[in-house]
Amino acid sequence: MPQSGRGEIVKQDLKDKNVLVVGAGKSGIGSVRLLLNIGARPVLYDGNEKLDEAGVRASLPKGADVSIVLGTLSDEQLGRLDLCVMSPGVPTDIPPVRRIREAGIPIWGEIELAYRCSEGTVMAVTGTNGKTTTVSLLGEIMKHHLGRQHVYVVGNIGNPYTDAALKTDASSVCVAEVSSFQLETIDRFHPHIAAITNITPDHLNRHHTMEEYIRVKERIAENQTPEDVLVLNYEDDVLRAFGESVKDRVKVWYFSSRRTLEDGMYLDGDVLKLADRKSGTTQDVINVHELRLLGTHNYENVAAASLSALAAGVPLQEICEVLRAFKAVEHRIEFVEEVGGVAYYNDSKGTNTDAAIRAVLAMNRPTILIGGGYDKGSSYDEWIESFGGKVRALVLVGQTKEKIAECARKHGFTEVYLCDTFRETFDKCVSLARPGDAVLLSPACASWGMFPNYEERGRIFKEYVRSLT
């Protein structure tokens, strides 16, 4: 399984090269650190001329010889560059990036840089929803199997791949959460085992069309070979069709939460089962009541992680040991407290309608739901339709509150309350909730405009809940 030898070649190739790093955020800083460590000459560029250069420099290694360019990149500066490394948060179609491309300068993403400078095996997961839980679980399985010192859980999960790349060797395994933004700028990125959890509408403000979003997500398998494994959700029509289109060049393994499979992992009642067409056998994997995760979507995540681990040679018994012990990832339908007979759940990572639908469906109590936030161009009809008899009231805040309220009323849901602040929103939920209810933060929107990220939104929610006790 190990894939080795690529790192040393690339590190030598980049030594003394002028490399532009676009984006002065966490990913950009990580790329600069890696480039400094291999002897390249990084230039950190951000189009926001209002950034404080001293503040940016303070986030770099002390005394680092790094040029910082804010605002506009001159033709002279452009002419000295050998390579450009893009941070995933920077759109690839903005004018400064077009200038770089037109100048003939190669463009890598931050994840491409890290991959090329690392050693060992890569296991990667993408998808609209569920990728963080799947990656976290897969990482724990691989650490249990190989030892924690050999496994790095990296990528969109919050640990820059660039921070781990130079620590890896031939025995290392990187378990990477990969976003569509990161997949836009891959070139040779080659996971030995890749999984796509699902594809539903999201980030259309960035990718513009659903077709482009799908194309970018499917790039995770672009460089896979017949020796590699691609794990796909059989219940996703897009992914089932994709599996058919690539099955002659890569091994495709499916999982399903709705039907029996002849080959793959599927949910049969309360039991996950593993079928093997070659041997003609089917065996029980685990009863879902043994898990500490809630909801069918999480059983799909368990199946995706388990199949990926099986592809890496981990015995099923070891996988099940980790499955029984694994707890929900923070901000993913995370149980916070029960106060006065009301259960509070933090699903701040529910930043799109599909994720928010999954959270609603997982609830087993009448629910007061918090929604709203930054508008990513989403439609909210399916989310409102999923409420059924579960959602008793919808409390809205943020940029999208009027848009969602109008959608709710169109579908005949009238228990809608609009608030101006997050604190007011929480207090309204407390006043509406009765013993036996749940209060669920699953906004179906990004946090931008109110919070720097969904983690901060979830943290504040949990603070409010615990203040009740």
Side-chain angles (χ1 to χ4, degrees):
M1 185 173 71
Q3 301 174 354
S4 306
R6 63 183 178 268
E8 283 306 316
I9 297 171
V10 173
K11 285 184 274 188
Q12 287 300 316
D13 286 346
L14 291 181
K15 185 175 171 59
D16 295 324
K17 294 289 173 48
N18 297 313
V19 182
L20 183 73
V21 176
V22 181
K26 190 174 183 179
S27 293
I29 299 301
S31 295
V32 168
R33 282 198 298 263
L34 187 156
L35 290 164
L36 286 169
N37 284 331
I38 64 175
R41 293 193 291 263
V43 177
L44 183 58
Y45 166 71
D46 199 293
N48 183 2
E49 59 187 12
K50 295 181 180 178
L51 283 179
D52 174 29
E53 183 173 340
V56 173
R57 193 168 293 282
S59 63
L60 298 171
K62 190 173 182 179
D65 183 16
V66 178
S67 300
I68 296 175
V69 179
L70 302 177
T72 303
L73 196 66
S74 71
D75 290 339
E76 182 184 354
Q77 290 165 329
L78 201 62
R80 291 197 295 262
L81 299 175
D82 300 297
L83 174 69
C84 170
V85 175
M86 294 277 294
S87 298
V90 180
T92 58
D93 57 356
I94 60 175
V97 180
R98 287 203 300 268
R99 279 186 67 215
I100 294 166
R101 190 177 291 112
E102 288 164 1
I105 299 163
I107 296 177
W108 293 358
E110 158 257 353
I111 206 162
E112 179 74 19
L113 172 68
Y115 169 77
R116 294 223 201 176
C117 292
S118 65
E119 302 288 354
T121 299
V122 177
M123 306 173 75
V125 178
T126 195
T128 306
N129 299 302
K131 52 187 179 292
T132 298
T133 296
T134 303
V135 163
S136 299
L137 177 53
L138 180 56
E140 288 303 306
I141 294 170
M142 298 309 298
K143 288 174 183 177
H144 182 267
H145 180 60
L146 296 173
R148 306 189 80 83
Q149 71 275 20
H150 296 295
V151 179
Y152 299 89
V153 179
V154 299
N156 198 52
I157 199 167
N159 307 318
Y161 192 178
T162 46
D163 284 356
L166 299 183
K167 302 173 186 175
T168 59
D169 57 30
S171 67
S172 299
V173 172
C174 285
V175 181
E177 178 182 328
V178 190
S179 70
S180 60
F181 295 0
Q182 291 169 318
L183 287 167
E184 279 185 313
T185 47
I186 64 166
D187 179 24
R188 297 183 189 174
F189 177 66
H190 179 180
H192 176 75
I193 298 160
I196 309 179
T197 57
N198 47 66
I199 300 181
T200 57
D202 197 17
H203 300 302
L204 298 186
N205 57 328
R206 166 85 170 243
H207 299 296
H208 307 303
T209 68
M210 192 62 192
E211 290 75 16
E212 175 63 9
Y213 179 54
I214 292 168
R215 184 193 72 81
V216 170
K217 281 291 190 189
E218 292 176 346
R219 292 197 72 197
I220 196 170
E222 190 170 284
N223 295 313
Q224 287 194 296
T225 70
E227 301 301 312
D228 302 324
V229 174
L230 176 62
V231 176
L232 299 173
N233 187 342
Y234 193 82
E235 298 311 321
D236 187 301
D237 292 343
V238 169
L239 295 180
R240 189 162 64 247
F242 180 53
E244 284 297 306
S245 72
V246 298
K247 66 181 182 181
D248 292 333
R249 67 170 181 84
V250 62
K251 297 171 191 169
V252 178
W253 292 9
Y254 289 107
F255 62 91
S256 172
S257 59
R258 298 181 191 171
R259 72 190 83 190
T260 300
L261 299 179
E262 293 181 0
D263 206 25
M265 194 171 290
Y266 63 93
L267 186 63
D268 181 11
D270 291 335
V271 180
L272 272 173
K273 295 189 174 184
L274 178 65
D276 182 358
R277 182 186 289 123
K278 284 186 180 178
S279 65
T281 61
T282 299
Q283 58 182 313
D284 292 355
V285 177
I286 196 168
N287 189 300
V288 297
H289 295 298
E290 297 177 68
L291 302 171
R292 302 186 185 191
L293 298 171
L294 191 65
T296 301
H297 67 292
N298 270 324
Y299 309 150
E300 292 178 342
N301 297 336
V302 166
S306 299
L307 282 175
S308 298
L310 285 168
V314 183
L316 188 58
Q317 181 181 347
E318 284 189 39
I319 293 171
C320 289
E321 288 176 20
V322 179
L323 296 183
R324 293 186 183 97
F326 185 79
K327 296 180 181 178
V329 177
E330 189 179 17
H331 310 300
R332 280 90 176 161
I333 320 183
E334 174 195 9
F335 175 71
V336 184
E337 300 277 356
E338 182 163 331
V339 184
V342 177
Y344 290 83
Y345 288 91
N346 165 32
D347 189 51
S348 186
K349 185 60 171 69
T351 58
N352 59 65
T353 54
D354 188 63
I357 288 170
R358 290 163 185 257
V360 167
L361 295 178
M363 291 295 102
N364 53 15
R365 297 175 175 221
T367 300
I368 313 298
L369 177 60
I370 299 174
Y374 178 80
D375 192 350
K376 295 193 286 183
S378 300
S379 167
Y380 300 98
D381 297 272
E382 288 187 31
W383 181 45
I384 302 297
E385 289 171 2
S386 75
F387 289 1
K390 288 194 174 189
V391 176
R392 199 161 63 73
L394 177 61
V395 185
L396 298 170
V397 70
Q399 181 186 12
T400 56
K401 63 183 180 182
E402 298 286 356
K403 180 179 177 180
I404 296 172
E406 182 181 348
C407 182
R409 295 185 187 107
K410 182 179 72 176
H411 288 274
F413 190 91
T414 57
E415 287 299 310
V416 180
Y417 302 87
L418 275 60
C419 299
D420 293 324
T421 67
F422 196 61
R423 178 77 233 194
E424 181 189 346
T425 303
F426 180 80
D427 291 342
K428 185 64 179 178
C429 291
V430 173
S431 70
L432 291 169
R434 301 190 289 253
D437 285 353
V439 171
L440 170 65
L441 168 66
S442 189
C445 301
S447 60
W448 309 321
M450 296 182 67
F451 301 95
N453 48 54
Y454 72 82
E455 293 98 334
E456 180 69 5
R457 177 170 61 187
R459 185 187 68 78
I460 295 295
F461 176 77
K462 291 193 289 183
E463 276 187 12
Y464 290 166
V465 174
R466 286 165 182 154
S467 70
L468 296 175
T469 61

